[in-house]
Amino acid sequence: MESLRYLNLSHAGFGGLIPPQLGNLSNLHYLNLGGPIPVHLQNLTSLRHLDLTGNTLNSSIPDWLYTFSHLEFLNLGNNNLQGTISSSIRNLTSAICIDLSYNELEGEVPRSLGNLCNLREIRLAGNKWSQEISEIFQSLSGYVSNGLEILELFSAQLSRQLTDELGQFKNLAVLCLGFNSISGPIPWSIGNLSSLRSLNLMNNQINGTLPQSFGQLSKLDNLNIKSNVLEGVVFEVHFCQFNEIDKTFCISKPTDFRSKKQLDPSFSTQLFTFEIMEFRAKISLWLLSQKHLKYLDISNTRVSDVVPPLFWNLSSQFVYLNLYHNQIYGEIPNIPMILSTSSMFDMSSNHFNGLLPYISSNVSFLDLSDNLLSGSISHFLCYKMNESKQMSYLNLGKNFLSGEIIGCWMKWQNLFALNLGSNNLLGSIPTSVGSLIYLQSLNLYNNKFFGTLPSSLKNCKNLVTLDIGKNQFVRSIPSWIGLRFSSLVILSLHSNNFYGYIPENLCSLTSLQILDLSNNKLFGSIPRCVNNFIAMATNNNSNGPLFLFEQPIGYALSMLLDSALLVVKGKVLEYSTTLLLVKILKSMSSLTFLSHLNLSNNNLSGKIPLSTQLQSLSASCFIGNKLCGAPLIGNCPTSDVKPNVEIQRSKDFGGPEVDWIYVSVAVGFVVGFWVVLGPLLLNKQWRIVYFEFLDYLGYKLWGVVAQIW
């Protein structure tokens, strides 16, 4: 055993009882250990690779660990380690990779770390350094700066400005500084990082413009600068002068955004009185020179520009493109057919206009919602019908799309989520929608669809959310909704023309959390079985989404239960981040966690059941019906109280409750039994006549059957 070189005990389940004989393995080079660090581990001075990740050690880094001069790979991530990093870390002279990420370490990154000339990877994310970023760069300005390839300081409580010392890491391939408080502009020296492939500066306070030196980052394939205050590259500011003839005369000159002065000294401002009308941050031209860019996230960066045509030529190399929440405008050209498998495009919440583009069959995620897109959807759906689509998420909601949805859904069978809400689409739902057998979310809210729901929709039995509110659907609510969609969490049918009774089969939806049937033409009573909606009577303390799609850059987006428009207290409200916590029913009194009830504008009748919940709600939740009782003004007349709404009971002299329906049934059975069978049992002559009559009927019946045969 002493000659053992490789040992993996990460899943051995010792429960902290690691045998002391482990310290006798003097020739051990690789150790992956689960559980607390045993003291006798200090004897393994020949270790080259030590992995103690994810053990929740709740201690400081032991001093003897710094004596492992042969150690090349040290991984202590995710351990709740506390305290500081000792300057003795300089003794790890063979170290190639040091991973201390996601602990509770604090203080300062020791300058002695910069003396480790073999170090290639430093991962210190998720700690409490509370340092200026320039101090980190100074600490690593020694020998390590020449060979460092990966520097991860994600969510490390760093502050102040990036400095030109960033340019010293010429071999740096991955730089991750996201989720800090770094401010100021990006230094010009970033262009010196000629080996940089991945740059993450998201969620900081970086401002100013993107330096033109970005164009020198020829190997960059992953860029994330979202949620900063970058202005981009400002190419022009529009100036206008009032003119008596043509009212306005506008010219454009190159401008420095910060000073709002022209950069061209030959342009005289004394000739005219100028007024700044608007300025627009532009998409940097250096992007057009990037030949290896695969992951680009410039969401929420206040870009206001038309996308240059040359930029769309780069889309064939994108695996992930996120332009979300900017002010980008213009038309989207057809996305090339030559794309990487499972490409993802998020261009939502911008000002894109024109028609929907033709989309490559390799796109798996497409979000074009909240734009100004118009025209038909047919060419988009039916393009390349000989190819199966890989699309799993499609969001075209909040646009100006029009026309009918024709039956080209057979090749879209991989869809998990489909959102066409808030457009001008019309017509009936084609039966081919039933081909979407994996569909979990269907949103057709606020369109002009009419007719009935196709029975083929039964095939979509995995639905979790179904929102067809604010359309013109007619007839009764299909009873098969309650039988086929057992996983349904959200069902919104409000503001349609559904009429008739509420089907009792809806009570089978035990996972239902939101049910909205308001503003229809329903009548009759509320089914008594609605107390089967147990999900509405259960506290849910979860803050996370129900369903997640992993993106290749490593973070998750909730897709299915992203938002819903619900009628609450007579108002249409949109829930997004808190949607998972919402519980709404057209309900009854037995649900003790009921937060809101809306039965308005139907044709329901009878008395509102008595409970502390229902009587505390607003009367507006019950208007437009034939209901009576609190919280409505006035009492119910006796003639208006219907037995199918609430079973009438009485009390007999303060004793237990008596249900007279069951008493009546019992009395009726006894009376009927003795009236019919009593005389036959007591009178022999009547019995003889009765059985002779039965024999005669049997004989006649046999004769009729014989003639037929």
Side-chain angles (χ1 to χ4, degrees), residues 247-454:
K247 302 300 181 185
T248 57
F249 176 70
C250 297
I251 58 176
S252 300
K253 296 298 294 183
T255 302
D256 182 347
F257 173 77
R258 285 164 292 185
S259 63
K260 297 184 177 62
K261 295 180 180 179
Q262 297 131 345
L263 301 180
D264 185 358
S266 64
F267 183 76
S268 175
T269 59
Q270 297 177 353
L271 298 178
F272 306 100
T273 302
F274 292 105
E275 178 184 3
I276 297 179
M277 300 298 294
E278 61 178 336
F279 58 86
R280 294 170 178 167
K282 301 292 183 179
I283 294 178
S284 302
L285 290 177
W286 66 265
L287 279 176
L288 306 181
S289 64
Q290 303 302 308
K291 304 302 181 184
H292 304 286
L293 198 62
K294 294 181 180 179
Y295 305 94
L296 176 61
D297 190 335
I298 55 174
S299 61
N300 197 28
T301 50
R302 303 193 305 174
V303 173
S304 176
D305 191 13
V306 62
V307 179
L310 291 178
F311 177 83
W312 294 113
N313 294 340
L314 301 178
S315 61
S316 61
Q317 67 191 42
F318 285 134
V319 174
Y320 174 78
L321 173 65
N322 192 347
L323 305 179
Y324 163 76
H325 203 273
N326 285 289
Q327 300 176 36
I328 304 173
Y329 55 94
E331 296 187 5
I332 303 175
N334 300 329
I335 295 178
M337 294 300 300
I338 304 175
L339 284 173
S340 301
T341 302
S342 301
S343 299
M344 308 178 74
F345 293 85
D346 189 345
M347 294 178 274
S348 60
S349 299
N350 281 284
H351 300 315
F352 287 115
N353 58 6
L355 301 177
L356 288 173
Y358 293 114
I359 298 294
S360 166
S361 299
N362 290 334
V363 176
S364 64
F365 179 105
L366 180 64
D367 194 340
L368 297 175
S369 63
D370 198 9
N371 278 288
L372 305 174
L373 299 171
S374 60
S376 173
I377 193 176
S378 301
H379 67 284
F380 173 87
L381 293 177
C382 302
Y383 181 61
K384 295 287 185 180
M385 283 299 293
N386 60 327
E387 299 179 0
S388 295
K389 314 299 182 183
Q390 293 189 17
M391 192 83 69
S392 60
Y393 179 88
L394 176 61
N395 191 346
L396 302 178
K398 296 182 181 179
N399 280 287
F400 296 94
L401 301 173
S402 58
E404 297 187 14
I405 301 180
I406 59 176
C408 290
W409 295 100
M410 295 76 69
K411 296 295 183 179
W412 297 79
Q413 293 185 355
N414 291 315
L415 273 177
F416 277 80
L418 173 62
N419 189 339
L420 302 177
S422 297
N423 281 287
N424 294 316
L425 300 170
L426 50 82
S428 58
I429 306 300
T431 57
S432 60
V433 170
S435 303
L436 309 179
I437 58 177
Y438 300 113
L439 197 64
Q440 296 186 25
S441 177
L442 177 59
N443 188 335
L444 304 178
Y445 173 83
N446 192 19
N447 281 283
K448 299 176 182 177
F449 294 118
F450 54 78
T452 60
L453 294 180

Side-chain angles (χ1 to χ4, degrees), residues 85-382:
I85 301 177
S86 170
S87 59
S88 299
I89 200 170
R90 69 167 68 91
N91 298 325
L92 302 181
T93 54
S94 300
I96 297 175
C97 172
I98 295 179
D99 187 346
L100 302 175
S101 56
Y102 300 102
N103 285 287
E104 300 292 328
L105 297 172
E106 53 190 3
E108 296 183 353
V109 176
R111 289 181 176 271
S112 58
L113 193 64
N115 296 327
L116 303 180
C117 57
N118 293 314
L119 201 57
R120 298 294 180 265
E121 301 180 18
I122 300 177
R123 305 177 190 269
L124 302 175
N127 284 286
K128 302 176 181 179
W129 302 121
S130 300
Q131 281 185 274
E132 297 182 14
I133 183 62
S134 59
E135 294 177 348
I136 300 288
F137 291 160
Q138 292 172 8
S139 299
L140 302 177
S141 61
Y143 299 111
V144 69
S145 63
N146 296 323
L148 193 63
E149 298 175 359
I150 297 177
L151 177 59
E152 290 187 356
L153 291 165
F154 191 87
S155 186
Q157 299 187 10
L158 303 177
S159 60
R160 304 301 291 269
Q161 295 187 13
L162 293 169
T163 61
D164 282 330
E165 291 169 312
L166 175 62
Q168 66 184 316
F169 305 107
K170 300 185 186 307
N171 289 311
L172 202 62
V174 176
L175 176 60
C176 185
L177 302 176
F179 281 93
N180 284 289
S181 299
I182 300 173
S183 59
I186 299 176
W188 184 273
S189 63
I190 197 171
N192 296 337
L193 309 183
S194 57
S195 298
L196 197 63
R197 299 194 318 270
S198 178
L199 175 62
N200 189 329
L201 300 175
M202 67 182 295
N203 284 82
N204 279 284
Q205 300 164 19
I206 298 173
N207 56 28
T209 62
L210 294 176
Q212 292 294 329
S213 60
F214 255 89
Q216 302 173 27
L217 305 179
S218 59
K219 296 182 180 180
L220 192 66
D221 63 12
N222 188 339
L223 174 63
N224 190 338
I225 56 174
K226 66 181 294 184
S227 299
N228 282 285
V229 287
L230 286 164
E231 289 90 11
V233 176
V234 178
F235 287 107
E236 61 184 29
V237 173
H238 297 278
F239 294 91
C240 293
Q241 179 200 23
F242 181 78
N243 187 292
E244 290 293 335
I245 300 176
D246 56 8
K247 302 300 181 185
T248 57
F249 176 70
C250 297
I251 58 176
S252 300
K253 296 298 294 183
T255 302
D256 182 347
F257 173 77
R258 285 164 292 185
S259 63
K260 297 184 177 62
K261 295 180 180 179
Q262 297 131 345
L263 301 180
D264 185 358
S266 64
F267 183 76
S268 175
T269 59
Q270 297 177 353
L271 298 178
F272 306 100
T273 302
F274 292 105
E275 178 184 3
I276 297 179
M277 300 298 294
E278 61 178 336
F279 58 86
R280 294 170 178 167
K282 301 292 183 179
I283 294 178
S284 302
L285 290 177
W286 66 265
L287 279 176
L288 306 181
S289 64
Q290 303 302 308
K291 304 302 181 184
H292 304 286
L293 198 62
K294 294 181 180 179
Y295 305 94
L296 176 61
D297 190 335
I298 55 174
S299 61
N300 197 28
T301 50
R302 303 193 305 174
V303 173
S304 176
D305 191 13
V306 62
V307 179
L310 291 178
F311 177 83
W312 294 113
N313 294 340
L314 301 178
S315 61
S316 61
Q317 67 191 42
F318 285 134
V319 174
Y320 174 78
L321 173 65
N322 192 347
L323 305 179
Y324 163 76
H325 203 273
N326 285 289
Q327 300 176 36
I328 304 173
Y329 55 94
E331 296 187 5
I332 303 175
N334 300 329
I335 295 178
M337 294 300 300
I338 304 175
L339 284 173
S340 301
T341 302
S342 301
S343 299
M344 308 178 74
F345 293 85
D346 189 345
M347 294 178 274
S348 60
S349 299
N350 281 284
H351 300 315
F352 287 115
N353 58 6
L355 301 177
L356 288 173
Y358 293 114
I359 298 294
S360 166
S361 299
N362 290 334
V363 176
S364 64
F365 179 105
L366 180 64
D367 194 340
L368 297 175
S369 63
D370 198 9
N371 278 288
L372 305 174
L373 299 171
S374 60
S376 173
I377 193 176
S378 301
H379 67 284
F380 173 87
L381 293 177
C382 302

Side-chain angles (χ1 to χ4, degrees), residues 604-610 615 622 625-642 645-646 648:
L604 301 173
S605 60
K607 182 180 179 180
I608 298 174
L610 293 174
Q615 276 64 49
F622 302 94
N625 290 285
K626 298 179 181 178
L627 299 170
C628 61
L632 297 176
I633 299 176
N635 297 323
C636 290
T638 305
S639 59
D640 288 342
V641 180
K642 298 187 177 181
V645 176
E646 183 178 0
Q648 301 300 313

